[in-house]
Amino acid sequence: MLRNKPRAEVMKSRIPGRTLAVAACILTLLFSVGCRYDMQDQPRYKQYKSSEFFGDGKAMQDPPDGTVARGQLQENKALYTGKKEGVDINAPVESTTDAKGNTIVATFPNDVEELPLPLTKELLERGEQRYRVFCIVCHGPVGKGDGMVVRRGYPQPTTYHDDRLRNAPVGHFFDVITNGWGKMNGYSSQIPVADRWAIVAYIRALQASQNPNPKSVTAGDTPGANETKTDGNQESTNTEPAANGGAK
Amino acid sequence: MAQLFHRGANNIVKASLALVVILGGTAFYAYTQIARSSYLTNRYLERQQPVQFSHRHHVGDDGIDCRYCHTSVESGASAGIPPTQTCMNCHNQLWADSPYLEPVKASYRDNKPIKWERVHDLPGFAYFNHSIHVAKGVGCSTCHGQIDNMPSVYQENTLQMEWCLSCHRNPEQFIRPKSEIYNMDWKDSDLTADERNKLKTDYKIRSRELLTSCSTCHR
């Protein structure tokens, strides 16, 4: 067939073929541009992206109420709530009234008195670091309630360095960090449980630092035990906590 | 057969060959520069946010630690956008009546998240995890710049692959002590090269081959 065609006709039929090839190349290139953007913005959810699928518009969904993740049963009540096991919630709470008419709770019968985590140098250091992230903004570097946010006009929190809070059990501080107190919001969404206890341990250290009287602080919670390890002799380290524990 | 081209045509050919090289080179250079330009990378582009939130005020003036709001930067892939409750920790008292805060208060009241404009948006094919970078001594300001000087946050770097690789090839040039990760004023010159090399060993940073292998970032 082709042989019978005049030369000019063959030329004619070739040209559209070449044009087609070029057009196909350009189209492919155009598609490849499209591919790049599909890969760039893939149809999957990243953190904090919005979603049209869920009613609340959020891609990140909360687990249904009452869900317990594996290993998250939180059986240890003291660790996760700072409250004692089997204590009457309606136990009488002593309270007094200050000059301004505010009620001051003086006893905390439901709160645990011992740290549920072993008190180590690492725990205290972690506590100091976390304190400087979350607490220092209001409570100030040593807990006198003179943080930057207070200087900007936030109502001043009470100092850690009065008898009421020196004698308050550690569980009380944990409870306040978790659920808030007065004008302070709870920090449970910002600070994990272990870090909350680390902060509580550090607050005890701050209290001891501003009131260096071994009889007024709980024995195991003072930073003194750790400090003597470095400068004092080993014997005093071993005897001191026991002596303090006896005093308490 | 008569000469088709004039004798001077040789020069024209040489000149045009040179011109092709020069023009081609210029075009390629222009392409590389345009591809790196802020027009395409959105570098330095200040985004308008639904709330006039200033990092310069909260970080620079108030000295609030990055982790107060970006709580998951040490533990997760995303640094974490704070829930509105974090704003209300202070703003339930401070500037509580200011009209500037109305979007925040509305969000808190209606339990609807604030729709922040994303500033740093990596392509979907790049894997990134904040926690490993923080754990290996990469400070916030190394990638994000001096946030404490940014009233509205912009992208300090191109976020292009060559920028990622510049550090993945030579991490020892950019790492710092763990205590300085959140220090906005840290300069790489604060440590000598030897000290940074020692940090690289202490942090057990993997080899250049592993850090630049494809599947490290494209999983």
Side-chain angles (χ1 to χ4, degrees), chain A residues 36-37 39-42 44 46-50 56 58 126 129-130 132-138 148-150 152-155 183-187 189-191, chain B residues 57 61-69 71-72 74 77-83 85-86 88-94 108 113 115 118 121-126:
Chain A
R36 176 180 179 265
Y37 281 100
M39 293 296 283
Q40 189 118 347
D41 303 310
Q42 295 166 12
R44 62 179 166 92
K46 284 184 179 178
Q47 298 96 337
Y48 301 104
K49 281 265 158 114
S50 61
D56 59 2
K58 292 189 289 185
R126 176 77 182 171
Q129 197 208 58
R130 295 291 115 170
R132 289 178 169 277
V133 172
F134 294 105
C135 315
I136 199 170
V137 288
C138 288
M148 187 49 116
V149 171
V150 171
R152 297 266 188 241
Y154 202 90
K183 299 217 164 39
M184 172 181 161
N185 277 349
Y187 275 68
S189 70
Q190 280 162 277
I191 315 177
Chain B
H57 175 68
D61 301 346
D62 293 344
I64 298 175
D65 192 283
C66 311
R67 292 164 287 180
Y68 186 91
C69 300
T71 49
S72 57
E74 291 169 310
S78 161
I81 306 292
Q85 198 208 320
T86 303
M88 298 309 276
N89 283 352
C90 298
H91 288 295
N92 58 4
Q93 301 289 326
L94 292 180
Y108 196 60
K115 287 195 173 177
R118 199 179 183 98
D121 197 6
L122 286 180
F125 47 75

